[in-house]
Amino acid sequence: MTDTAKLSIAGSDHDYPVMSGTVGPDVVDIRKLYAQTGAFTYDPGFTSTASCQSKLTYIDGDEGVLLHRGYAIGDLAENSTFMEVAYLLLNDELPKKGELEQFETTITRHTMLHEQLAMFYRGFRRDAHPMAIMCGVVGALSAFYHDSTDIHDPTQRMIASHRLIAKMPTIAAMAYKYSVGQPFLYPDNSLSYTGNFLRMTFGVPAEAYEVDPVIEKALDRIFILHADHEQNASTSTVRLAGSSGANPFACIAAGIACLWGPAHGGANEAALNMLHEIGTVDRIPEFIARAKDKNDPFRLMGFGHRVYKNYDPRATVMQKTVREVFAAMKVSDPVFDVALKLEELALSDPYFVEKKLFPNVDFYSGVILSAIGFPTSMFTALFALARTVGWVAQWNEMITDPDQKIGRPRQLYNGPAERTYVPVGQR
Ligand code: SDX
């Protein structure tokens, strides 16, 4: 039995069907609201709006739960690989052994870039932000791969999906190499997805590069943590771009642009910069006070979340991974101690407790990425590399959703009513 929501507006009553999912909040289907009432809903930031139906990822923000096709992020981070999670998000089920091997081979075979794209990098300044390069180069892919831009052809959609997932590590590694003035390295098909990325990033033609299995596993786990996350800002950007029929490369470039913002994927870079600015544990209270000050735009980067009103389960895994990598590398970093103390003090402060502000995925990620050797400027590029899997899976789901049409929100207009034009000489 479908429940209904009743709305009384302008003297008339209307019923709207309430739809239930597998788990999580019900939704009120208001698709007929404007036609029946002449009114729009108002929800800037979409805090109470479901934009689609999806089977990919579910977040319970109060419980700090994150599921990908029903599998808990902690289980996947502990037991799976990024390639297996990519397969899971692109298909309905975890792959059998042969399916996974076939998928990995397919992705591996798409990791090379068209040779002329390498020249694209030469147009950038050496100090160009890697995200500026990612936006440009990924958008340019549509100029090279015309044979996989027909979004109505499932085969072309899958080839474009595989190309995007496969080429992001190559594009990101090349952005790093260009920034440090080192030559690009071609992909090495004998390596894993993540091992290949590490070699293209930190290897040099002058000598062999040995992938450190501890780093490879830690980075692969970090990619898993960033793979997908419901209808976050950049995923919604990809879906909106895709709803117009734009080609997949353009849609992912749009997602990269949105992810760059410090309130979203740019927070991992901003969080580590903040931890360095704090510098020592004794300066933490000063920054907590600033974060609480309404007149100060400063926010604790890596803290808070639109959906999680509990601990981000990804942050839990991230913190554990920092400890594991530090132990394996026999390193430490005073910034990690600052982060741990900042978390402790913030989570015991009524401001953060009342507003349910907890560390999110970005709070610890910079500490470990820095320990692995990535410059801060590469952090969001790594987030984009991993989130491409989610963007591509969500894009495919949107294209095949019969309910989906071009996204076109309305507004509450509060500008001037119609008025007569006055020639400039009479103003
Ligand atoms: C990601 O959506 C996703 O799923 C994103 C993501 C993904 O995987 O795709 O999880 C990745 O983007 C993680 C979030 C990374 N961003 C940051 O760490 C930047 C710092 N955090 C904030 O800017 C903020 O918490 C947001 C943007 C993440 C969430 O903002 P909301 O949901 O719009 O909440 P809000 O801004 O309305 O804040 C609610 C209150 C406000 O106070 P009041 O106006 O109610 O008095 O909490 C305060 C805010 O001022 N607040 C903070 C804070 N975050 C929120 N105060 C201090 N420090 C913070 N970090």
Side-chain angles (χ1 to χ4, degrees):
M1 199 273 277
T2 306
D3 197 356
T4 58
K6 297 187 178 306
L7 176 67
S8 177
I9 182 168
S12 56
D13 295 339
H14 303 273
D15 288 352
Y16 294 98
V18 174
M19 299 158 68
S20 300
T22 316
V23 288
D26 290 343
V27 300
V28 179
D29 181 349
I30 55 159
R31 282 176 284 185
K32 295 194 171 74
L33 176 78
Y34 176 57
Q36 290 173 350
T37 70
F40 300 135
T41 59
Y42 182 63
D43 186 15
F46 312 119
T47 48
S48 302
T49 294
S51 60
C52 63
Q53 299 188 50
S54 180
K55 297 181 170 65
L56 288 167
T57 294
Y58 171 69
I59 301 170
D60 182 329
D62 294 329
E63 298 302 317
V65 167
L66 168 56
L67 307 178
H68 291 315
R69 300 247 195 226
Y71 296 99
I73 191 65
D75 283 352
L76 293 171
E78 195 59 38
N79 305 303
S80 188
T81 64
F82 182 62
M83 280 293 96
E84 186 174 72
V85 171
Y87 182 98
L88 173 67
L89 287 168
L90 283 174
N91 303 283
D92 297 336
E93 302 296 334
L94 285 168
K96 294 182 178 59
K97 189 168 181 304
E99 290 168 328
L100 180 57
E101 285 166 0
Q102 175 57 48
F103 180 71
E104 287 175 331
T105 301
T106 301
I107 296 297
T108 298
R109 291 274 164 78
H110 279 295
T111 48
M112 280 180 69
L113 272 192
H114 191 291
E115 193 64 13
Q116 283 176 229
L117 264 167
M119 288 188 267
F120 216 84
Y121 286 75
R122 310 232 181 283
F124 290 100
R125 288 169 38 142
R126 291 281 180 181
D127 62 353
H129 194 289
M131 286 299 279
I133 296 177
M134 300 282 279
C135 287
V137 174
V138 173
L141 291 175
S142 47
F144 289 82
Y145 298 109
H146 295 291
D147 62 338
S148 61
T149 52
D150 175 359
I151 63 168
H152 302 295
D153 177 347
T155 305
Q156 291 199 29
R157 282 206 306 274
M158 202 39 77
I159 293 171
S161 303
H162 292 161
R163 278 173 165 157
L164 280 158
I165 293 169
K167 295 179 194 309
M168 285 298 275
T170 311
I171 292 167
M174 288 167 74
Y176 171 69
K177 282 307 198 193
Y178 188 70
S179 73
V180 294
Q182 290 182 359
F184 301 141
L185 282 190
Y186 289 114
D188 176 344
N189 288 357
S190 69
L191 298 174
S192 74
Y193 181 89
T194 302
N196 183 43
F197 172 64
L198 284 167
R199 177 181 168 277
M200 290 190 289
T201 304
F202 297 118
V204 288
E207 58 189 35
Y209 178 83
E210 203 63 37
V211 176
D212 179 329
V214 172
I215 303 297
E216 182 181 25
K217 176 146 185 56
L219 189 57
D220 196 74
R221 184 189 291 176
I222 289 170
F223 288 163
I224 290 172
L225 297 179
H226 289 83
D228 191 46
H229 214 240
E230 280 192 6
Q231 306 312 316
N232 58 84
S234 54
T235 296
S236 299
T237 301
V238 171
R239 279 179 169 259
L240 196 57
S243 74
S244 77
N247 73 69
F249 305 103
C251 295
I252 300 307
I256 293 171
C258 177
L259 185 74
W260 195 0
H264 189 14
N268 53 16
E269 176 176 357
L272 193 71
N273 289 338
M274 174 192 73
L275 292 171
H276 282 302
E277 189 187 353
I278 294 173
T280 53
V281 166
D282 62 312
R283 291 195 64 204
I284 289 174
E286 170 198 334
F287 284 81
I288 286 185
R290 284 188 57 197
K292 292 160 60 177
D293 180 355
K294 276 269 155 259
N295 301 316
D296 188 333
F298 173 79
R299 287 190 164 184
L300 283 188
M301 300 315 283
F303 252 78
H305 200 277
R306 170 62 57 77
V307 177
Y308 290 122
K309 299 311 170 192
N310 198 322
Y311 213 98
D312 183 336
R314 302 168 298 175
T316 308
V317 178
M318 197 68 81
Q319 190 195 103
K320 174 170 169 277
T321 306
V322 173
R323 294 182 193 282
E324 286 172 4
V325 169
F326 277 14
M329 294 174 71
K330 296 183 178 46
V331 298
S332 64
D333 184 344
V335 128
F336 185 45
D337 302 328
V338 171
L340 290 170
K341 192 66 181 170
L342 174 56
E343 174 189 333
E344 178 198 322
L345 294 178
L347 296 189
S348 59
D349 183 300
Y351 173 91
F352 292 88
V353 174
E354 281 150 29
K355 293 180 186 297
K356 299 184 177 179
L357 302 173
F358 291 85
N360 59 50
V361 67
D362 295 307
F363 188 61
Y364 288 107
S365 58
V367 175
I368 188 169
L369 293 176
S370 182
I372 292 173
F374 295 104
T376 313
S377 61
M378 276 295 288
F379 291 177
T380 310
L382 297 177
F383 194 150
L385 184 166
R387 184 55 55 89
T388 294
V389 164
W391 289 333
V392 154
Q394 297 268 357
W395 172 77
N396 276 292
E397 186 176 64
M398 184 271 301
I399 299 271
T400 54
D401 179 348
D403 279 357
Q404 283 301 318
K405 51 176 62 176
I406 188 165
R408 206 279 188 216
R410 300 302 301 272
Q411 63 181 14
L412 175 67
Y413 176 71
N414 49 25
E418 186 169 7
R419 51 184 170 167
T420 307
Y421 178 82
V422 178
V424 65
Q426 296 166 34
R427 285 176 209 156

